[in-house]
Amino acid sequence: MSCIRSKRLTCSPARATDVRRFYDPEDRIGYGVGSITLYEDDLRRMQSESPTQGPTAWTYGEVAPDSVEQLGKAFGFPGTRAENAVFYDLGSGFGRLTLQAFCDWGVRRAVGVELSERRHSRAEAALERFRASASAPRDLSGVSFVRANLLEVELHTATDAYLACTCWDEPFVRAALAKLRSECGALETVALTESLEAEYGIDPAEYGLQLERSLALKMT
């Protein structure tokens, strides 16, 4: 399996499928615990379901819309492989990457997995608005969102995965990689927002990964 590390840059306007218009104005940008998109009951639930994580794990950030194309190309999308690909966004937040990836990359399915109930509900609401608008470039039946701890959801169909792991701790990163390796027999590419070796002291080879490239992506 190949491993892609993305680097953080500043955000700029989108030039691809703009899914942001299907979100409430208050949800178009969401940053961290202080954001109105994460409430105390949500935080307590998340901490109880993922107890190894510190409070910074819930900090919110996402790939900027005009960088999704670049990320897709690193996965090999769009292209002939996309028609059978199942993309998992692990820690999908509001689901904007999941939605845009499905629309722009041509993957067969795109699944967003998010622990926060409130972020997950906003992703599902945006998906329903997108469907109702009849403006999607393709049938959205291949998009789905799952409210769950990513360590507890079934991932066996995944061919490609994205992990925005910047604020995760080492035990959780290791657990996520171990799950991908053990469950996903068809997994081809994993993209992460941090260097496994530099940030966590993890050798990618421990989890059957080999660093293929590093990218500079715009992120919020």
Side-chain angles (χ1 to χ4, degrees):
M1 293 181 289
S2 57
C3 179
I4 301 167
R5 180 171 67 91
S6 62
K7 301 177 182 177
R8 181 188 178 97
L9 296 179
T10 56
C11 182
S12 65
R15 295 182 180 178
T17 301
D18 186 4
V19 301
R20 293 173 298 177
R21 68 185 187 276
F22 301 108
Y23 289 82
D24 291 333
E26 67 180 36
D27 295 332
R28 289 179 185 171
I29 299 178
Y31 297 97
V33 174
S35 164
I36 60 174
T37 61
L38 190 61
Y39 296 84
E40 287 301 317
D41 61 330
D42 211 14
L43 180 59
R44 286 193 296 271
R45 184 184 303 109
M46 292 166 71
Q47 289 176 325
S48 69
E49 293 187 27
S50 187
T52 70
Q53 295 294 319
T56 59
W58 322 124
T59 302
Y60 191 77
E62 60 188 30
V63 179
D66 60 341
S67 286
V68 174
E69 179 182 4
Q70 184 181 0
L71 179 61
K73 287 180 179 178
F75 277 109
F77 308 137
T80 55
R81 191 172 78 82
E83 62 187 22
N84 293 314
V86 179
F87 170 72
Y88 271 75
D89 182 0
L90 300 178
S92 54
F94 293 117
R96 285 184 277 251
L97 172 60
T98 309
L99 278 173
Q100 190 179 340
F102 182 78
C103 291
D104 293 353
W105 295 355
V107 295
R108 180 165 61 88
R109 290 184 58 213
V111 183
V113 180
E114 172 58 39
L115 187 59
S116 163
E117 174 63 40
R118 295 182 187 271
R119 290 173 182 170
H120 167 73
S121 65
R122 282 157 168 76
E124 290 211 310
L127 175 58
E128 290 309 309
R129 292 189 192 105
F130 202 0
R131 284 177 173 149
S133 73
S135 62
R138 56 186 301 209
D139 180 5
L140 294 175
S141 60
V143 181
S144 60
F145 293 105
V146 179
R147 212 298 293 179
N149 185 330
L150 65 89
L151 299 182
E152 298 173 356
V153 70
E154 291 188 6
L155 302 176
H156 66 278
T157 60
T159 61
D160 302 87
Y162 173 78
L163 291 76
C165 59
T166 296
C167 297
W168 298 357
D169 62 19
E170 180 192 341
F172 193 82
V173 172
R174 286 187 176 277
L177 294 175
K179 182 176 179 65
L180 287 170
R181 186 178 190 185
S182 65
E183 290 188 12
C184 307
L187 191 67
E188 295 196 25
T189 305
V190 178
L192 308 100
T193 52
E194 297 296 328
S195 165
L196 290 176
E197 292 180 301
E199 186 67 23
Y200 306 107
I202 298 174
D203 181 355
E206 292 182 48
Y207 299 95
L209 297 170
Q210 179 178 350
L211 182 63
E212 180 178 281
R213 71 188 75 178
S214 292
L215 303 177
L217 298 180
K218 296 166 185 167
M219 301 184 71
T220 58

